[in-house]
Amino acid sequence: MSSTAAIDSKRTVAELKELRSLTSDENGAQRVAFTKTWLIAREWLREKVRTLPLEIHNDSAGNTWFTLAGKSNECLLIGGHMDSVPNGGWLDGSLNVLAGVEILRRINTQYNGKPPVTVRLVDWADEEGARFGKSLFGSSACSGNLNLDEARILKDKDGISLPDALHNAGIEFERVKESGGELKNAAAYLELHIEQGPVLLDLGLPLAAVLGTFGVERYAVTFHGQAAHSGSTPMDRRKDAFLAAGRMAQEIYRIAAHSGNGVCTIGSCVTRPGIVTSVVEDCRITLDQRHLDPTALGNMLSQARTASEQFAREGSVTLSWERLWHIAPRPFHNELIPLCDEAIRETCGKSHRMPSGPLHDAAEVAAAGVPTVMMFVQSLHGISHNKIEDTREDHLELAVTAFDNLAEKAIHWISR
Ligand SMILES: [Zn+2]
């Protein structure tokens, strides 16, 4: 085994600050995909790796690939996204990419430009979906999951269609799935990300291995009762749609509590006629349920259905369910998760395993069949997609060091 070159995690923090000063204003990061600021960020990134012996190109979906050719064609992939939401934070996506840059530098030095396997960094295009409301654009084109018929008709707030916007950026919409060829020799995919939630902060831990991304079941549930005068209708004669919906609000907390780490949310409640002097005729609530385990997710959904039927019956109202959206859980790789754990423990003593509530590009790569794992670093304030998004600098440095350790382990795992 070759002698070990050192990773310079402080340089990553310095480069993140440099990127922030280049692409943020007083409201936060402005690297929205397909805008001038995003192109500036991407050009800056290319400049950062100019002295490394990399092959660099954009694929047919606009993802940028930086390839350090190795002794084997088998590839270790490291991914992130330079794009941000408008008024976003300084770390979401860019930490992943810049940690990847530092790892490329370390590997290039350690193996004299020829690592045992090929190492590729990918900057995914339009992870956030801020402009067209379709997140994971570049990675879902690459994985083959992008629904072209749905995406073709998307428009931004100015009425510009996604295909037209892509055309202006030099990307031909009908050919974006050709980017799938990039995954040909992919043997493992790694992604470092800020947690964007409060779990690690509450545990007092810097890093976690991510088990996978939650599956989501999203429904509109409507109770149909009868409008009636709020003064003349006795309480026992009412068909009150809101009464049944209100009982659901309590019930989903019970369902989530018994699900083993699942979450349920009623995010919206609309009543009709919606006036102060009438019993509610129709009440439409939205129900969003998430879990890492498909069976547990299915159980949460069937429990919610059974409860809604009971509440409807007891309240003499009727009921309809309408599926709004659905995505299956995307579990990460059962050998890479322990490897990630080990890399964390060797770096800072203690690790933790947790699922990811938000979706990430890693979920698309995993769905394409590439062994995948993510590492989370603690978020201060438990908040993201906001200019106050932040992480302690010593935690950022630990994250880069542990993630580099994982990359090295993954190289050996691939060539085992
Ligand atoms: Zn992100």
Side-chain angles (χ1 to χ4, degrees):
M1 201 172 148
S2 30
S3 67
T4 313
I7 188 103
D8 185 354
S9 58
K10 284 192 190 327
R11 174 160 56 186
T12 305
V13 177
E15 286 177 341
L16 283 164
K17 289 178 179 172
E18 195 183 319
L19 179 67
R20 176 171 61 183
S21 62
L22 187 70
T23 58
S24 302
D25 60 21
E26 67 280 9
N27 297 313
Q30 306 298 341
R31 298 184 298 274
V32 178
F34 310 119
T35 63
K36 196 165 161 240
T37 308
W38 180 62
L39 293 174
I40 288 170
R42 284 191 136 192
E43 201 46 51
W44 173 88
L45 178 64
R46 281 186 182 234
E47 189 57 31
K48 282 285 155 200
V49 296
R50 199 171 44 84
T51 55
L52 291 173
L54 305 176
E55 184 279 320
I56 306 175
H57 71 269
N58 281 5
D59 67 22
S60 65
N63 306 307
T64 309
W65 296 83
F66 304 81
T67 303
L68 178 63
K71 293 192 183 108
S72 150
N73 286 333
E74 294 239 87
C75 293
L76 169 65
L77 307 184
I78 298 170
H81 59 95
M82 292 298 275
D83 74 301
S84 73
V85 294
N87 306 328
W90 69 303
L91 300 170
D92 183 354
S94 51
L95 168 64
N96 338 2
V97 176
L98 289 170
V101 166
E102 191 55 37
I103 291 169
L104 281 176
R105 289 177 182 133
R106 193 272 302 165
I107 289 174
N108 180 55
T109 306
Q110 179 164 336
Y111 295 103
N112 282 321
K114 206 74 185 167
V117 305
T118 296
V119 183
R120 309 184 74 194
L121 171 66
V122 52
D123 169 21
W124 299 110
D126 199 9
E127 191 273 349
E128 299 288 3
R131 183 166 163 194
F132 293 96
K134 167 74 189 81
S135 54
L136 311 181
F137 168 76
S139 55
S140 66
C142 190
S143 74
N145 281 321
L146 179 71
N147 184 323
L148 290 179
D149 293 332
E150 280 172 21
R152 196 178 285 115
I153 54 175
L154 292 174
K155 288 192 164 63
D156 71 4
K157 64 176 175 12
D158 301 318
I160 297 169
S161 75
L162 176 62
D164 285 347
L166 291 175
H167 182 78
N168 291 337
I171 300 165
E172 287 318 309
F173 177 77
E174 301 300 335
R175 301 186 59 177
V176 294
K177 286 196 175 180
E178 289 173 19
S179 61
E182 301 288 343
L183 297 180
K184 197 167 141 234
N185 293 314
Y189 175 84
L190 310 176
E191 187 172 334
L192 170 67
H193 209 283
I194 52 168
E195 184 205 323
Q196 303 176 285
V199 173
L200 288 173
L201 183 67
D202 290 349
L203 288 169
L205 291 174
L207 301 170
V210 184
L211 296 164
T213 56
F214 276 161
V216 184
E217 288 284 2
R218 200 172 285 169
Y219 281 83
V221 184
T222 308
F223 295 93
H224 307 279
Q226 191 173 54
H229 194 282
S230 64
S232 63
T233 317
M235 299 308 282
D236 63 352
R237 296 287 301 274
R238 296 180 179 206
K239 294 176 179 170
D240 185 345
F242 183 70
L243 177 65
R247 292 180 72 188
M248 284 300 288
Q250 325 281 320
E251 184 65 14
I252 64 152
Y253 278 79
R254 199 194 60 76
I255 292 170
H258 289 85
S259 71
N261 292 322
V263 290
C264 304
T265 306
I266 293 177
S268 163
C269 175
V270 178
T271 62
R272 241 180 26 90
I275 57 171
V276 71
T277 52
S278 174
V279 172
V280 171
E281 180 170 17
D282 290 325
C283 185
R284 180 185 190 267
I285 58 174
T286 58
L287 178 62
D288 176 295
Q289 298 184 296
R290 302 182 187 222
H291 207 290
L292 185 62
D293 177 62
T295 308
L297 182 61
N299 287 340
M300 283 165 61
L301 178 60
S302 67
Q303 285 169 25
R305 270 189 190 274
T306 305
S308 69
E309 284 159 10
Q310 181 196 334
F311 299 150
R313 208 168 42 243
E314 289 171 2
S316 304
V317 298
T318 60
L319 174 72
S320 59
W321 279 65
E322 177 199 348
R323 192 185 228 181
L324 301 177
W325 192 65
H326 154 88
I327 190 167
R330 303 264 167 87
F332 291 152
H333 196 266
N334 61 4
E335 289 179 32
L336 291 181
I337 292 168
L339 223 54
C340 183
D341 245 349
E342 194 178 280
I344 293 171
R345 273 186 272 110
E346 287 171 7
T347 306
C348 59
K350 201 165 175 214
S351 183
H352 180 67
R353 293 185 181 195
M354 62 183 289
S356 172
L359 284 166
H360 292 286
D361 293 310
E364 288 297 334
V365 184
V370 181
T372 293
V373 74
M374 290 184 76
M375 185 183 288
F376 274 170
V377 60
Q378 188 195 106
S379 290
L380 292 171
H381 326 297
I383 208 157
S384 181
H385 287 188
N386 187 306
K387 69 172 175 178
I388 69 163
E389 168 191 296
D390 207 3
T391 292
R392 280 167 48 173
E393 277 187 27
D394 59 329
H395 285 177
L396 290 174
E397 290 170 17
L398 282 174
V400 176
T401 305
F403 193 56
D404 177 58
N405 190 1
L406 173 60
E408 189 61 26
K409 288 177 189 295
I411 287 174
H412 295 286
W413 181 77
I414 292 168
S415 38
R416 73 203 180 277

